[in-house]
Protein backbone atom coordinates (compact mmCIF):
# COMPACT_ATOMS: atom_id res chain seq x y z
CA UNK A 1 0.00 0.00 0.00
CA UNK A 2 1.25 3.46 -0.72
CA UNK A 3 2.49 5.89 1.85
CA UNK A 4 -0.98 7.35 2.28
CA UNK A 5 -1.92 4.18 4.12
CA UNK A 6 -5.38 2.97 3.22
CA UNK A 7 -5.41 4.08 -0.38
CA UNK A 8 -6.14 0.68 -1.90
CA UNK A 9 -7.70 -1.24 0.96
CA UNK A 10 -11.23 -2.53 0.86
CA UNK A 11 -11.52 -2.80 -2.90
CA UNK A 12 -10.79 -6.49 -3.21
CA UNK A 13 -8.44 -5.59 -6.06
CA UNK A 14 -4.66 -5.39 -6.40
CA UNK A 15 -2.99 -4.06 -3.29
CA UNK A 16 -5.74 -5.11 -0.93
CA UNK A 17 -4.50 -6.63 2.31
CA UNK A 18 -7.10 -9.35 2.39
CA UNK A 19 -6.91 -12.95 3.55
CA UNK A 20 -5.34 -14.03 0.27
CA UNK A 21 -2.53 -11.51 0.79
CA UNK A 22 -1.75 -12.89 4.23
CA UNK A 23 -1.84 -16.47 2.95
CA UNK A 24 0.61 -15.52 0.18
CA UNK A 25 2.85 -13.82 2.75
CA UNK A 26 3.07 -16.87 4.97
CA UNK A 27 3.52 -19.16 1.98
CA UNK A 28 6.43 -17.00 0.84
CA UNK A 29 7.83 -17.02 4.38
CA UNK A 30 7.68 -20.82 4.42
CA UNK A 31 9.57 -20.98 1.13
CA UNK A 32 12.22 -18.52 2.31
CA UNK A 33 12.71 -20.30 5.64
CA UNK A 34 13.05 -23.60 3.80
CA UNK A 35 15.79 -22.07 1.66
CA UNK A 36 17.56 -20.55 4.67
CA UNK A 37 17.04 -23.39 7.17
CA UNK A 38 20.64 -24.55 7.07
CA UNK A 39 21.92 -21.02 7.70
CA UNK A 40 19.54 -20.61 10.64
CA UNK A 41 20.73 -23.90 12.10
CA UNK A 42 24.37 -22.88 11.63
CA UNK A 43 23.69 -19.66 13.54
CA UNK A 44 21.97 -21.64 16.27
CA UNK A 45 24.86 -24.10 16.41
CA UNK A 46 27.12 -21.34 17.65
CA UNK A 47 25.00 -20.13 20.56
CA UNK A 48 21.98 -22.41 20.89
CA UNK A 49 20.61 -25.91 20.36
CA UNK A 50 21.47 -26.16 16.64
CA UNK A 51 17.85 -26.84 15.74
CA UNK A 52 16.34 -23.45 14.87
CA UNK A 53 16.42 -23.99 11.12
CA UNK A 54 14.91 -27.45 11.29
CA UNK A 55 12.26 -26.33 13.76
CA UNK A 56 11.25 -23.31 11.72
CA UNK A 57 11.19 -25.34 8.50
CA UNK A 58 8.90 -27.91 10.09
CA UNK A 59 6.62 -25.26 11.59
CA UNK A 60 6.19 -23.15 8.48
CA UNK A 61 5.72 -26.22 6.30
CA UNK A 62 2.82 -27.14 8.58
CA UNK A 63 1.49 -23.58 8.32
CA UNK A 64 1.63 -23.75 4.53
CA UNK A 65 -0.23 -27.07 4.45
CA UNK A 66 -2.93 -25.89 6.86
CA UNK A 67 -3.56 -22.63 5.03
CA UNK A 68 -3.88 -24.48 1.72
CA UNK A 69 -6.34 -26.95 3.20
CA UNK A 70 -8.52 -24.51 5.14
CA UNK A 71 -8.17 -21.14 3.35
CA UNK A 72 -9.25 -18.90 6.26
CA UNK A 73 -11.46 -16.02 5.10
CA UNK A 74 -9.96 -13.08 6.98
CA UNK A 75 -6.44 -11.83 7.77
CA UNK A 76 -7.01 -12.37 11.47
CA UNK A 77 -8.13 -15.96 10.86
CA UNK A 78 -5.06 -16.61 8.68
CA UNK A 79 -2.73 -15.35 11.41
CA UNK A 80 -4.57 -17.22 14.14
CA UNK A 81 -4.37 -20.52 12.27
CA UNK A 82 -0.70 -20.01 11.46
CA UNK A 83 0.08 -19.16 15.06
CA UNK A 84 -1.66 -22.29 16.33
CA UNK A 85 0.24 -24.48 13.91
CA UNK A 86 3.58 -22.98 14.94
CA UNK A 87 2.83 -23.58 18.61
CA UNK A 88 1.89 -27.19 17.92
CA UNK A 89 4.78 -28.06 15.60
CA UNK A 90 7.84 -25.97 16.53
CA UNK A 91 9.88 -27.17 19.47
CA UNK A 92 11.74 -25.15 22.08
CA UNK A 93 10.99 -21.50 22.64
CA UNK A 94 10.52 -20.59 18.99
CA UNK A 95 7.08 -22.19 18.63
CA UNK A 96 5.44 -20.31 21.50
CA UNK A 97 7.19 -17.06 20.58
CA UNK A 98 6.35 -17.07 16.87
CA UNK A 99 2.92 -18.50 17.59
CA UNK A 100 2.25 -15.69 20.03
CA UNK A 101 3.49 -13.11 17.52
CA UNK A 102 1.08 -14.21 14.80
CA UNK A 103 -1.88 -15.00 17.03
CA UNK A 104 -1.69 -11.72 18.95
CA UNK A 105 -1.19 -9.75 15.74
CA UNK A 106 -4.29 -11.44 14.32
CA UNK A 107 -6.28 -10.76 17.47
CA UNK A 108 -5.32 -7.09 17.40
CA UNK A 109 -6.32 -6.86 13.75
CA UNK A 110 -9.69 -8.39 14.52
CA UNK A 111 -10.28 -5.94 17.34
CA UNK A 112 -9.32 -2.99 15.13
CA UNK A 113 -11.24 -4.01 12.02
CA UNK A 114 -14.53 -5.27 13.38
CA UNK A 115 -16.47 -6.60 10.40
CA UNK A 116 -13.83 -5.41 7.91
CA UNK A 117 -11.25 -7.81 6.53
CA UNK A 118 -8.90 -5.44 4.69
CA UNK A 119 -6.46 -3.60 6.98
CA UNK A 120 -4.19 -0.92 5.64
CA UNK A 121 -0.47 -0.82 6.36
CA UNK A 122 -0.91 1.51 9.33
CA UNK A 123 -3.48 -0.78 10.91
CA UNK A 124 -1.29 -3.79 10.29
CA UNK A 125 1.72 -2.02 11.85
CA UNK A 126 -0.28 -1.31 15.02
CA UNK A 127 -1.41 -4.93 15.19
CA UNK A 128 2.13 -6.19 14.63
CA UNK A 129 3.33 -3.98 17.45
CA UNK A 130 0.73 -5.59 19.72
CA UNK A 131 2.08 -8.97 18.67
CA UNK A 132 5.64 -7.91 19.42
CA UNK A 133 4.61 -6.59 22.83
CA UNK A 134 3.04 -9.98 23.57
CA UNK A 135 6.27 -11.73 22.57
CA UNK A 136 8.23 -9.41 24.87
CA UNK A 137 5.86 -10.14 27.73
CA UNK A 138 6.10 -13.89 27.14
CA UNK A 139 9.88 -14.07 26.89
CA UNK A 140 10.81 -11.06 29.00
CA UNK A 141 13.04 -9.73 26.22
CA UNK A 142 13.65 -6.13 25.29
CA UNK A 143 15.72 -4.51 22.54
CA UNK A 144 19.41 -5.17 23.10
CA UNK A 145 18.94 -8.61 24.65
CA UNK A 146 20.03 -10.35 21.41
CA UNK A 147 16.68 -11.92 20.46
CA UNK A 148 14.07 -11.76 17.70
CA UNK A 149 12.87 -8.53 19.33
CA UNK A 150 15.95 -6.76 17.96
CA UNK A 151 14.69 -7.36 14.42
CA UNK A 152 10.96 -7.01 15.03
CA UNK A 153 10.85 -3.70 16.91
CA UNK A 154 12.70 -1.60 14.29
CA UNK A 155 10.70 -3.33 11.55
CA UNK A 156 7.38 -2.37 13.13
CA UNK A 157 8.57 1.21 13.51
CA UNK A 158 9.73 1.37 9.88
CA UNK A 159 6.37 0.16 8.58
CA UNK A 160 5.20 3.76 8.82
CA UNK A 161 7.57 4.44 5.91
CA UNK A 162 7.16 1.40 3.66
CA UNK A 163 7.14 -2.39 3.51
CA UNK A 164 10.70 -2.46 2.17
CA UNK A 165 11.88 -0.10 4.89
CA UNK A 166 10.48 -2.54 7.43
CA UNK A 167 12.31 -5.46 5.82
CA UNK A 168 15.57 -3.50 5.72
CA UNK A 169 15.16 -2.45 9.36
CA UNK A 170 14.66 -6.10 10.32
CA UNK A 171 17.79 -7.15 8.43
CA UNK A 172 19.80 -4.37 10.06
CA UNK A 173 18.35 -5.28 13.45
CA UNK A 174 19.39 -8.91 13.01
CA UNK A 175 22.90 -7.90 11.93
CA UNK A 176 23.15 -5.61 14.94
CA UNK A 177 22.82 -8.61 17.26
CA UNK A 178 26.28 -9.88 16.21
CA UNK A 179 28.30 -7.85 18.75
CA UNK A 180 25.65 -8.11 21.48
CA UNK A 181 25.92 -10.31 24.55
CA UNK A 182 22.82 -12.48 24.97
CA UNK A 183 20.65 -11.82 28.00
CA UNK A 184 17.83 -14.27 27.24
CA UNK A 185 17.52 -17.90 26.30
CA UNK A 186 20.17 -20.58 26.04
CA UNK A 187 22.65 -18.16 24.49
CA UNK A 188 22.69 -16.15 27.72
CA UNK A 189 24.43 -19.06 29.45
CA UNK A 190 27.45 -18.39 27.26
CA UNK A 191 28.02 -14.90 28.61
CA UNK A 192 30.67 -13.06 26.62
CA UNK A 193 31.09 -16.09 24.34
CA UNK A 194 27.69 -15.25 22.85
CA UNK A 195 29.25 -12.11 21.36
CA UNK A 196 30.26 -12.22 17.72
CA UNK A 197 27.33 -14.30 16.51
CA UNK A 198 24.07 -13.26 14.85
CA UNK A 199 21.04 -14.29 16.86
CA UNK A 200 19.15 -17.02 14.95
CA UNK A 201 15.75 -15.76 16.15
CA UNK A 202 16.48 -12.27 14.88
CA UNK A 203 17.66 -13.80 11.60
CA UNK A 204 14.42 -15.77 11.13
CA UNK A 205 12.36 -12.71 12.07
CA UNK A 206 14.16 -10.80 9.32
CA UNK A 207 13.21 -13.54 6.86
CA UNK A 208 9.56 -13.19 7.87
CA UNK A 209 9.67 -9.43 7.24
CA UNK A 210 11.55 -9.95 3.99
CA UNK A 211 8.81 -12.27 2.75
CA UNK A 212 6.23 -9.68 3.77
CA UNK A 213 7.92 -6.94 1.76
CA UNK A 214 8.27 -9.22 -1.28
CA UNK A 215 4.60 -10.18 -1.08
CA UNK A 216 3.52 -6.56 -0.77
CA UNK A 217 5.70 -5.59 -3.70
CA UNK A 218 4.23 -8.31 -5.92
CA UNK A 219 0.72 -7.27 -4.89
CA UNK A 220 1.33 -3.60 -5.58
CA UNK A 221 0.43 -2.93 -1.97
Amino acid sequence: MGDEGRDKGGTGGPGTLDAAFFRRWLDAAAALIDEEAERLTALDSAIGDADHGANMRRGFSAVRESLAAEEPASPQAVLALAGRRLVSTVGGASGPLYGTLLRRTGKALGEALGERTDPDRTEFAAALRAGIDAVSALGGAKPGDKTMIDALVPAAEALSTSWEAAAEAAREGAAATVPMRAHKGRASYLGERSEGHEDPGAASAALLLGALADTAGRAGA
Side-chain angles (χ1 to χ4, degrees):
M1 188 166 292
D3 288 347
E4 296 304 318
R6 187 181 162 72
D7 52 356
K8 294 180 180 178
T11 66
T16 300
L17 305 186
D18 55 10
F21 172 88
F22 283 84
R23 291 198 299 270
R24 290 196 300 273
W25 167 33
L26 294 175
D27 189 71
L32 192 54
I33 285 171
D34 184 60
E35 292 174 7
E36 297 284 339
E38 292 186 6
R39 182 175 71 88
L40 294 176
T41 289
L43 293 174
D44 200 30
S45 296
I47 57 174
D49 293 327
D51 58 3
H52 189 61
N55 281 339
M56 293 295 286
R57 172 186 274 161
R58 180 173 61 255
F60 273 87
S61 294
V63 167
R64 173 185 261 174
E65 293 169 0
S66 294
L67 292 177
E70 300 186 29
E71 295 191 0
S74 68
Q76 48 268 45
V78 170
L79 295 172
L81 174 58
R84 290 197 300 273
R85 292 299 285 150
L86 291 175
V87 170
S88 65
T89 58
V90 179
S94 297
L97 292 172
Y98 271 100
T100 294
L101 175 68
L102 296 185
R103 292 169 67 182
R104 187 64 185 87
T105 299
K107 183 173 186 287
L109 269 184
E111 293 170 349
L113 297 179
E115 297 299 319
R116 289 173 44 223
T117 58
D118 56 346
D120 61 30
R121 176 158 49 82
T122 300
E123 290 167 328
F124 174 71
L128 179 62
R129 184 67 214 207
I132 295 168
D133 289 345
V135 170
S136 292
L138 178 63
K142 61 184 184 303
D145 283 341
K146 197 180 182 86
T147 72
M148 61 195 289
I149 293 297
D150 290 301
L152 292 172
V153 167
E157 293 173 351
L159 268 175
S160 62
T161 300
S162 70
W163 299 105
E164 184 50 45
E168 180 60 26
R171 288 190 290 269
E172 291 177 353
T177 64
V178 172
M180 293 178 183
R181 182 177 300 188
H183 295 290
K184 293 293 177 183
R186 186 179 180 83
S188 66
Y189 303 153
L190 299 177
E192 65 180 13
R193 287 185 290 130
S194 66
E195 298 172 7
H197 305 280
E198 184 175 349
D199 178 69
S204 58
L207 294 179
L208 195 65
L209 270 296
L212 177 63
D214 287 346
T215 304
R218 293 176 188 277

